[in-house]
Amino acid sequence: MSMAQMRSLLTSFDLQTGLSPDRPSIQRRLSAMAGMFYNEARYAEMLAEEDSLIYEFYDMGVPAQAGEIAFGTSITYPGRVGDEYFMTKGHFHTILETGEVYYCLRGQGMMLMENPEGRWEAQSLTAGAAVYVPPRYAHRSINVSPTDPLVTFFAFRGDAGHDYGTIETKGFRKLVVDKAGRPDIIDNPRWKEA
Ligand code: MN
């Protein structure tokens, strides 16, 4: 069997940066996060100064089929928009009944989750922590460190798909903000019932 025919895959992710030398990441800059941070005025000020890299992640190109497992790393950089920490957009899976595992390789963060029935949960992410995101739960990674990137490795069924639109439209019910140097979970003042 030639290498070109191989179905298995070997790749690497740096334990400090989370980055892979094997393919380009997908990058989300501040300009791609319009409407995601609740302090819109501060968002506009920051964007006028610099279109900062907020997070990046990998799509390893695994076939989008049942039985496949999509995987990669996600790297969320330190920073805040006002008192709200840098975070990923967050998403539901198109196949809502999809669970996902995140294993934290570096940093300090939180995984914020909520389901369409109105339940929400949050778990801490520190190096060595594994978080199981259950089926039906939207999920968002939040970096609460002032200095270090939050690096996680994720795996989920290959045909699950992503629904970003629901969160883009109505947001999460809860936000994670800095309060006197510590993360605090507050109600999202702009949350809309779907
Ligand atoms: Mn996911």
Side-chain angles (χ1 to χ4, degrees), residues 5-194:
Q5 291 172 308
M6 283 183 72
R7 186 64 178 82
S8 61
L9 173 62
L10 174 67
T11 190
S12 65
F13 299 101
D14 186 277
L15 288 167
Q16 291 301 304
T17 67
L19 299 174
S20 174
D22 300 324
R23 65 170 59 218
S25 65
I26 297 166
Q27 299 189 328
R28 295 280 182 260
R29 293 186 175 274
L30 194 60
S31 56
M33 301 288 284
M36 307 302 289
F37 294 99
Y38 83 104
N39 188 335
E40 295 266 12
R42 184 65 192 133
Y43 173 83
E45 282 177 7
M46 289 177 65
L47 187 55
E49 285 199 4
E50 187 183 353
D51 192 10
S52 303
L53 182 59
I54 307 300
Y55 68 100
E56 53 192 315
F57 60 98
Y58 288 90
D59 179 341
M60 302 308 291
V62 168
Q65 293 169 12
E68 301 279 351
I69 297 177
F71 69 95
T73 52
S74 170
I75 305 104
T76 306
Y77 292 100
R80 297 190 332 225
V81 175
D83 61 0
E84 189 174 18
Y85 299 105
F86 282 5
M87 61 193 183
T88 63
K89 286 186 169 187
H91 58 264
F92 289 94
H93 289 283
T94 309
I95 298 177
L96 192 57
E97 303 297 332
T98 297
E100 183 163 356
V101 172
Y102 281 79
Y103 184 63
C104 185
L105 303 175
R106 183 184 176 194
Q108 301 284 333
M110 298 187 75
M111 183 66 72
L112 181 65
M113 298 162 271
E114 70 173 49
N115 71 10
E117 289 72 42
R119 277 192 61 92
W120 68 272
E121 302 187 14
Q123 297 284 359
S124 292
L125 290 167
T126 57
V131 170
Y132 177 60
V133 177
R136 304 186 69 78
Y137 278 75
H139 38 288
R140 159 180 286 170
S141 302
I142 298 155
N143 186 346
V144 307
S145 166
T147 53
D148 294 337
L150 175 67
V151 181
T152 57
F153 177 88
F154 60 82
F156 62 97
R157 63 183 284 179
D159 61 344
H162 290 93
D163 163 20
Y164 287 100
T166 302
I167 295 299
E168 286 172 348
T169 302
K170 72 176 188 60
F172 275 75
R173 292 161 190 271
K174 298 288 177 178
L175 303 178
V176 181
V177 300
D178 179 273
K179 187 178 178 185
R182 288 177 167 277
D184 190 30
I185 300 173
I186 63 170
D187 289 334
N188 180 356
R190 303 185 311 155
W191 186 79
K192 304 181 199 65
E193 194 77 51

